[in-house]
Amino acid sequence: MAFLRSLIYGIRNLLRRTKRERDIADEIERYFEEAAAAQVEHGMTAEEARRTIRMEAGTMSSARAQANSYGWENSVSSFFSDLRFAARQLARHRAFTVTATLTLALGIGANAAIFTAIDSILLAPLPFNHADRLAVLGTRYSNTGRTTRRVTGPDGVDVRDQAKSLEAVSLMAGGEEGVQLRDHATYTEVTWVDENFPRVYSLQPIAGRLFSDAESHRSALVNEQFARNNFGSAQAALGQTVHIENEAIEIVGVLPGSFHEPGKTEVWEAFSLLPESKSRTAFNYRAVALLRESTSFQTAQTELNSLSQRLQTAYPEDNRNKQMVALPMTEALTGSARPTLMLLWGAVGIILLIACVNVTHLQLVRSMTRQREIAIRKALGSSRWQVMRPVLLESLLLAILGCAAGLLLALPAVRILIAMAPKELPRAGEIHLNGWVLAFTMAISVLTALVSSILPAMRAAKVAAADAMKQDASRGMERKGAARLRDGLVIAEIAATFVLAVAAALLLRTMSTLMTSDLGFETQRMLVVDADNPAHTDDDYRRMLRQFDEIFANLAAIPGVEHVAGVMGLPMGPYGSNGNYNTRGGLPVESHHAPEAIFSVASPEYFQTMGIPMLRGRDFNAQDAYDNPFVVVISQSVAKQSFGNIDPIGKQIQCGLDSDKWMTIVGVVGDIRQNSPAENPGPALYMPMKQHPAYANQIHIVLRTHVKPLTLINTVHSEIARANPLIAMRFTTMDSIVNESITAQRFRAALISLFAAAGLLLSMLGVYGTMAYTVAQRTFEIGIRMAFGANRAVILRAILRHAAILAGIGIAAGLVLSLLLARLVSAMLVGVQPMDPASLGGASLLLLLTAIAAASAPGWKATHINPLAALRAE
């Protein structure tokens, strides 16, 4: 009850503040008058009575202040009074306010943008039912620690049938395929899934129904977007027939437009619960699972460990060292992006730290110019908290302004981030600002206010009134340790910026290495056509091979085309295969350690078209047909690892691509970087298309031209469509394919370089501010020195030397930090070591020159001080 009365009383006083203060003033005045009258009655004069009352009760103004300090409402009123005072101070010092606001906006905006990506990709729940129970199955080899997120067909079936902790398991396979519609063909993502797939994801079609196991390779589900784009609506798509690999597939259901799993799938073709591959060494399938309710991933993994042990016992050759694993789907989908996002978040965290240091420095410099004001306030009786509060409130207002400006900066920054993101960045389409991002931004704004104001506020509270009245910055007199504190803040800025600069230099060096590395083939003037020629039966494949022969001949006759060839397994392309191989007449191989290689299927003239050097033997020719002895061309690495100094021509190799036939080696070509410029060149087997037709219907047609490749798209499209209008096509260039293969590295390098540039700018402002204040503070001293004959060069060298010393100490501290943090970026580097001398030296030189450049303007100003004016200055 007392609390309620106090609350009501306080609110009434706040609403009637002016009247309450007037009443208190009247009461105090009456008190002083009555007390003085009482003293006069005891024989004092009026002057003596007033003096006695002031000695006992203080002045009327102090009495009014003391009376107004009682009650919670007076604390609130005092807070808002200080807040208004802080706002007036910021409005009066606009240059300080604008500089500090923009500095904070840069740090807060960068953090908000990166946290938006982290929240949307790593923290937000997956948009699936029972997302916390979804798992991706994989295989780990206990002897090497290598993990693949794929399973063999038989292993997947065993897990599905025997793992009791899993409610449903679905195997799948697929990728980008040509889909033939009524009047055209299109490329889209097609996945073959079994009837358990909808159970795992708890899917319900928005139109139609789900398929059953009996409809394998006869029915399909499509995405709503696919249905609208090709048939007009979801209902119109039902019952329509599409052809995939020359099989007629009926659309029986349409799934929501927001669902695309796995990847960017738009068509899900029915697939048998019994996978076609019976090999326990061919990892042809991906697998997803739904854990039973109340079952943890640890429990599921324990059961998979036991099951793996039983499979190793039952199949000692094929399942040796194999361990089935279940990864939470969130980790499986986003785990690869986590290191990059954490690196970027660390970088923007450094930017925010530099921004805080800069604002702290600005506030320290400003607080030093307010020493006398603070001293007067303390002399009039202000407490430590009353002195600190305006400084803290100024920082809070600056943080609010910086937060608002940072959010305005974050909006375009997020759009730029999405545009720059590599295509393999998961959930990139889900990145957007939301309430959590706003809350995070507000939180770091408050934290920024506290961090940047704590030192200025503490120093303000420690001001001694007598000392402050004697200090005169213009004559070189200021508090002991003030200069050291400012210099320490600049050193911290430079050290943090050095870390960013080194990271940027290492990533840029990596990009330079990737862009200049020898790929083993030529990329210039190369047009690439993704071509999917529908085929399913043996007759289809023979027809398809004849069509491709005709297409290659027609394309070669186009003006501007030099060479034409086809390949399944284009370097950096989406299609390919690999596996173990055996040799006859080669070097002995240890048991259970068969060598591995990339498997590619190519047409004659492929090596000439790609610029891959033929080192020995011959290329494929028209005689390398299906009915003739199988042949193979090997890369130089295969020749070295399997034949050593033995001439491999005429020797034989067997691989498990699609046949167990032995193939005679007819040629040796140079090594290439197959999957990425970041990979080392490795072993590869090339086989003729006509001898492996099942891998030759979905190929890349490569055209070497002596004109700009993209100018030939329409002509090439017309020639291919004339041969077969059902061939799905997509066009690009070899340069584009190579560039897309290093988008993740380019993404990291570009953003870290951008953050390093921002840090460099902030550090330059910090050095400039310190040197400018130092010159202003030493104006009297410089005037005396110049009056006694010091020349301008000496003064300038002193200023620049001071900046160089600060930069040198900061660089040394940054070097230590870089050594400690080197392992965080080591996995992202290619062809460069974390302690690369060129990167460290370049970053050091850049920071040193930046510091000297920032100090040049204050130094120049110092050399133009008028000695007489400086000596007359008060």
Side-chain angles (χ1 to χ4, degrees):
M1 201 65 184
F3 171 77
L4 183 60
R5 283 197 301 270
S6 174
L7 179 64
I8 296 173
Y9 180 76
I11 294 174
R12 185 172 63 245
N13 286 338
L14 283 175
L15 296 177
R16 303 169 62 186
R17 183 72 183 176
T18 303
K19 182 178 182 303
R20 181 176 182 273
E21 290 179 352
R22 187 168 56 250
D23 292 344
I24 290 176
D26 293 341
E27 289 180 13
I28 291 175
E29 186 176 356
R30 284 196 301 271
Y31 166 77
F32 272 74
E33 291 176 354
E34 292 173 358
Q39 295 295 336
V40 169
E41 289 179 1
H42 286 82
M44 290 186 180
T45 64
E47 182 62 28
E48 289 175 338
R50 285 194 293 271
R51 186 184 305 114
T52 301
I53 297 303
R54 282 197 301 269
M55 292 178 62
E56 293 178 354
T59 63
M60 282 194 289
S61 60
S62 63
R64 285 196 299 268
Q66 186 174 6
N68 285 324
S69 66
Y70 294 114
W72 66 267
E73 70 275 9
N74 293 299
S75 298
V76 172
S77 178
S78 177
F79 171 83
F80 281 105
S81 177
D82 284 343
L83 189 63
R84 288 191 296 272
F85 175 75
R88 288 195 300 271
Q89 290 294 313
L90 292 179
R92 184 177 303 167
H93 299 86
R94 295 178 183 176
F96 164 79
T97 303
V98 171
T99 303
T101 298
L102 293 179
T103 300
L104 289 175
L106 185 60
I108 293 172
N111 272 270
I114 297 300
F115 182 74
T116 299
I118 291 174
D119 177 66
S120 300
I121 295 173
L122 301 182
L123 304 181
L126 296 176
F128 309 133
N129 293 324
H130 314 301
D132 58 330
R133 293 164 51 197
L134 292 176
V136 172
L137 302 183
T139 307
R140 178 184 296 127
Y141 278 91
S142 57
N143 58 332
T144 64
R146 182 174 64 90
T147 300
T148 176
R149 290 174 185 173
R150 287 180 172 269
V151 299
T152 68
D155 289 343
V157 171
D158 288 335
V159 170
R160 184 185 65 204
D161 294 343
Q162 300 180 41
K164 305 303 181 185
S165 59
L166 305 180
E167 183 176 318
V169 175
S170 176
L171 301 183
M172 65 188 78
E176 289 186 307
E177 297 280 345
V179 177
Q180 285 72 39
L181 301 162
R182 180 179 303 170
D183 55 355
H184 69 285
T186 183
Y187 259 105
T188 190
E189 193 87 11
V190 178
T191 302
W192 287 267
V193 298
D194 57 39
E195 69 174 8
N196 284 343
F197 183 79
R199 288 182 56 202
V200 171
Y201 285 98
S202 303
L203 296 174
Q204 290 296 328
I206 61 173
R209 60 177 177 82
L210 302 174
F211 51 64
S212 66
D213 187 56
E215 297 174 286
S216 175
H217 293 292
R218 292 192 291 110
S219 297
L221 304 172
V222 299
N223 177 274
E224 183 182 12
Q225 182 178 349
F226 181 89
R228 291 184 182 278
N229 290 342
N230 293 284
F231 304 105
S233 68
Q235 287 295 333
L238 297 178
Q240 297 286 346
T241 298
V242 298
H243 287 78
I244 303 173
E245 293 191 343
N246 222 30
E247 287 186 315
I249 309 297
E250 181 186 357
I251 298 175
V252 299
V254 179
L255 297 180
S258 59
F259 185 78
H260 292 277
E261 292 301 313
K264 298 179 180 179
T265 302
E266 291 191 319
V267 178
W268 295 265
E269 182 180 341
F271 185 63
S272 174
L273 286 169
L274 296 177
E276 296 174 0
S277 174
K278 308 301 181 185
S279 171
R280 290 187 180 270
T281 60
F283 294 88
N284 296 325
Y285 303 100
R286 287 171 287 177
V288 291
L290 178 66
L291 274 63
R292 295 190 184 277
E293 290 189 33
S294 304
T295 299
S296 66
F297 278 89
Q298 183 178 0
T299 301
Q301 187 58 58
T302 300
E303 184 179 21
L304 290 178
N305 291 343
S306 300
L307 176 57
S308 298
Q309 290 294 330
R310 294 198 299 271
L311 292 177
Q312 289 183 31
T313 302
Y315 308 99
E317 295 295 326
D318 292 343
N319 281 61
R320 183 188 303 271
N321 300 317
K322 279 202 315 189
Q323 172 65 56
M324 305 299 296
V325 295
L327 300 174
M329 184 162 287
T330 301
E331 177 183 338
L333 290 179
T334 64
S336 60
R338 187 178 298 273
T340 294
L341 292 175
M342 291 297 102
L343 173 67
L344 296 179
W345 202 10
V348 295
I350 293 177
I351 293 294
L352 183 60
L353 178 62
I354 295 173
C356 288
V357 171
N358 240 354
V359 173
T360 300
H361 178 263
L362 289 172
Q363 289 184 320
L364 278 174
V365 170
R366 184 161 175 273
S367 67
M368 290 170 189
T369 64
R370 299 170 61 187
Q371 297 287 298
R372 296 196 178 198
E373 170 201 330
I374 295 172
I376 292 172
R377 295 181 67 182
K378 294 196 74 172
L380 292 176
S382 295
S383 65
R384 288 169 60 92
W385 170 242
Q386 288 173 326
V387 171
M388 292 174 63
R389 190 164 58 193
V391 179
L392 294 174
L393 289 177
E394 277 191 22
S395 296
L396 181 61
L397 290 176
L398 283 174
I400 292 173
L401 292 174
C403 176
L407 286 174
L408 292 177
L409 181 64
L411 291 172
V414 169
R415 288 195 289 269
I416 294 172
L417 185 70
I418 296 173
M420 292 177 59
K423 62 180 181 180
E424 60 267 24
L425 184 68
R427 309 182 70 184
E430 301 176 30
I431 297 176
H432 65 284
L433 290 169
N434 55 38
W436 286 109
V437 174
L438 295 178
F440 171 80
T441 306
M442 290 300 299
I444 62 173
S445 299
V446 173
L447 181 62
T448 299
L450 292 176
V451 171
S452 61
S453 64
I454 192 68
L455 277 177
M458 291 177 63
R459 293 187 70 84
K462 292 180 180 179
V463 168
D467 293 339
M469 298 298 290
K470 293 184 292 184
Q471 290 170 8
D472 186 349
S474 68
R475 292 182 177 270
M477 296 180 293
E478 60 179 343
R479 293 188 61 193
K480 183 179 180 180
R484 288 198 300 271
L485 179 58
R486 293 197 307 274
D487 289 349
L489 292 175
V490 171
I491 289 171
E493 282 187 278
I494 293 175
T497 305
F498 181 83
V499 174
L500 285 178
V502 169
L506 291 173
L507 294 174
L508 288 173
R509 288 260 292 161
T510 292
M511 279 300 302
S512 176
T513 299
L514 294 177
M515 296 178 68
T516 59
S517 60
D518 181 11
L519 301 176
F521 57 91
E522 299 175 7
T523 63
Q524 297 82 9
R525 296 182 293 107
M526 180 82 75
L527 181 66
V528 179
V529 187
D530 288 10
D532 188 319
N533 196 341
H536 185 66
T537 65
D538 290 341
D539 289 339
D540 290 338
Y541 285 117
R542 283 192 289 270
R543 171 193 52 78
M544 172 267 301
L545 289 171
R546 289 193 300 270
Q547 281 184 351
F548 274 136
D549 282 343
E550 177 187 348
I551 288 170
F552 296 159
N554 292 338
L555 295 179
I558 295 175
V561 175
E562 295 180 0
H563 302 286
V564 178
V567 62
M568 187 289 296
L570 182 73
M572 289 83 173
Y575 319 126
S577 183
N578 66 341
N580 302 117
Y581 66 88
N582 301 310
T583 63
R584 281 179 180 170
L587 300 176
V589 177
E590 295 183 15
S591 178
H592 310 301
H593 287 84
E596 295 184 359
I598 298 292
F599 300 157
S600 295
V601 173
S603 71
E605 295 191 29
Y606 170 69
F607 304 112
Q608 185 179 12
T609 303
M610 290 292 294
I612 301 174
M614 180 67 67
L615 305 179
R616 194 179 305 172
R618 67 171 178 86
D619 193 357
F620 303 129
N621 56 41
Q623 303 304 314
D624 299 322
Y626 188 81
D627 296 329
N628 292 334
F630 276 29
V631 299
V632 64
V633 172
I634 65 174
S635 68
Q636 191 174 15
S637 290
V638 174
K640 287 182 179 180
Q641 76 180 10
S642 295
F643 298 97
N645 296 325
I646 303 172
D647 184 359
I649 302 297
K651 302 297 188 290
Q652 291 189 312
I653 281 183
Q654 179 192 58
C655 74
L657 179 66
D658 61 349
S659 170
D660 59 0
K661 291 184 179 181
W662 287 89
M663 303 174 290
T664 301
I665 299 172
V666 297
V668 179
V669 297
D671 290 333
I672 66 170
R673 301 178 192 267
Q674 178 67 28
N675 296 316
S676 167
E679 286 189 355
N680 292 323
L685 304 181
Y686 300 92
M687 293 155 272
M689 286 176 55
K690 290 185 177 180
Q691 293 185 342
H692 302 272
Y695 282 84
N697 69 308
Q698 190 172 1
I699 63 171
H700 288 96
I701 301 175
V702 288
L703 299 91
R704 172 75 57 188
T705 71
H706 55 73
V707 298
K708 292 183 179 179
L710 295 180
T711 62
L712 299 176
I713 288 179
N714 291 335
T715 305
V716 172
H717 185 279
S718 298
E719 286 291 344
I720 297 176
R722 189 157 57 96
N724 185 352
L726 295 181
I727 293 179
M729 287 174 278
R730 190 170 49 192
F731 293 83
T732 186
T733 64
M734 199 66 225
D735 283 327
S736 296
I737 291 175
V738 173
N739 286 334
E740 287 180 5
S741 70
I742 56 175
T743 51
Q745 292 89 340
R746 184 183 295 108
F747 178 68
R748 287 194 294 260
L751 287 182
I752 294 297
S753 299
L754 183 63
F755 297 149
L760 200 64
L761 175 62
L762 292 176
S763 294
M764 178 177 279
L765 291 175
V767 174
Y768 172 82
T770 294
M771 294 299 103
Y773 183 80
T774 299
V775 169
Q777 181 258 332
R778 296 175 61 187
T779 299
F780 185 77
E781 172 201 338
I782 293 172
I784 292 176
R785 294 180 65 184
M786 295 185 72
F788 278 92
N791 59 41
R792 293 180 175 182
V794 172
I795 300 298
L796 180 61
R797 280 199 300 270
I799 300 296
L800 297 183
R801 186 186 304 114
H802 186 197
I805 290 172
L806 294 181
I809 298 174
I811 290 169
L815 180 60
V816 174
L817 290 174
S818 297
L819 290 171
L820 297 175
L821 300 174
R823 63 184 184 87
L824 298 180
V825 297
S826 58
M828 302 177 186
L829 305 179
V830 177
V832 59
Q833 296 300 316
M835 289 293 101
D836 174 53
S839 299
L840 296 176
S844 301
L845 181 61
L846 180 64
L847 265 295
L848 184 61
L849 293 177
T850 299
I852 293 175
S856 297
W860 182 86
K861 182 178 179 181
T863 62
H864 288 75
I865 290 175
N866 186 332
L868 294 179
L871 294 175
R872 287 198 303 265
E874 291 296 334

